Amino acid sequence: MAQAGRTGPGAWGWRGPGADAAPVCAPWRWASALVWLAAAAAASGPSRRQWPVPYKRFSFRPEPDPYCQAKYTFCPTGSPIPVMKDDDVIEVFRLQAPVWEFKYGDLLGHLKIMHDAIGFRSTLAEKNYTMEWYELFQLGNCTFPHLRPEINAPFWCNQGAACFFEGIDDIHWKENGTLVLVATISGSAD
């Protein structure tokens, strides 16, 4: 004997035999929903922001806002990147220590808030080099926003750059964090 229940087409479309069959939305309902969504998107026009925001490349460093002032000179001992010979062997090191460890010791290291750098050792020239990324206006200025009366939104002084200099402070990185050889490359690597 057949179970009692609705088995023909209804408001939700065709239901299979049996009362426990799940409702299935009719294809024309899906099509009308998609048309409605497309119309709503078109009606919003070009005034809506694109997400995600496309990356904008600059061929120059933007002028910093005069409000942003550095307390310390950026990359005071910086040097140009040396030209490596093709037959040189370059050792690459991972350098890591807690942020602001000069002030707070290893406290921020327990929270995994670390400063990273890359070290290089030229076996041919027997010289070491360090490359770090630094904030031009110090860490606090790019981490925390400034509230300025003439600007409606929070404002950051957050420009930064890479600093390349001769030497690796072995004691600093070994005692306070990490100094680990991660790769060996040839001097001809681009």
Side-chain angles (χ1 to χ4, degrees):
M1 182 170 182
Q3 285 184 315
R6 194 169 168 176
T7 58
W12 284 96
W14 180 262
R15 286 185 64 181
D20 60 343
V24 178
C25 191
W28 62 269
R29 290 202 182 254
W30 283 109
S32 64
L34 289 174
V35 168
W36 181 83
L37 285 173
S44 64
S47 64
R48 290 188 51 142
R49 289 186 173 206
Q50 180 183 358
W51 186 259
V53 177
Y55 182 75
K56 182 178 179 182
R57 292 199 176 274
F58 290 91
S59 60
F60 60 93
R61 177 176 298 284
E63 279 294 318
D65 189 291
Y67 180 84
C68 300
Q69 298 293 319
K71 289 184 180 180
Y72 309 103
T73 306
F74 171 77
C75 199
T77 62
S79 61
I81 298 173
V83 177
M84 302 293 178
K85 296 183 179 181
D86 288 349
D87 59 341
D88 198 355
V89 175
I90 312 297
E91 296 174 334
V92 182
F93 296 90
R94 173 180 171 237
L95 310 173
Q96 187 177 53
V99 169
W100 286 346
E101 47 98 10
F102 62 90
K103 188 171 186 175
Y104 300 115
D106 66 347
L107 175 67
L108 295 176
H110 294 294
L111 301 172
K112 305 293 185 219
I113 301 173
M114 307 297 278
H115 174 74
D116 296 286
I118 300 173
F120 300 96
R121 180 176 180 274
S122 165
T123 57
L124 195 61
E126 295 185 354
K127 289 188 176 183
N128 297 331
Y129 302 94
T130 302
M131 184 173 71
E132 298 184 70
W133 182 88
Y134 281 110
E135 311 79 18
L136 293 180
F137 308 109
Q138 277 72 62
L139 183 62
N141 281 327
C142 74
T143 305
F144 305 106
H146 299 277
L147 300 176
R148 296 170 59 184
E150 69 274 13
I151 298 177
N152 290 333
F155 176 79
W156 278 266
C157 296
N158 61 355
Q159 289 190 20
C163 177
F164 191 89
F165 53 93
E166 190 172 330
I168 296 176
D169 186 354
D170 293 18
I171 295 170
H172 166 77
W173 297 107
K174 283 180 183 176
E175 289 182 1
N176 300 300
T178 304
L179 189 152
V180 177
L181 177 67
V182 293
T184 302
I185 60 175
S186 73
S188 63
D190 290 318

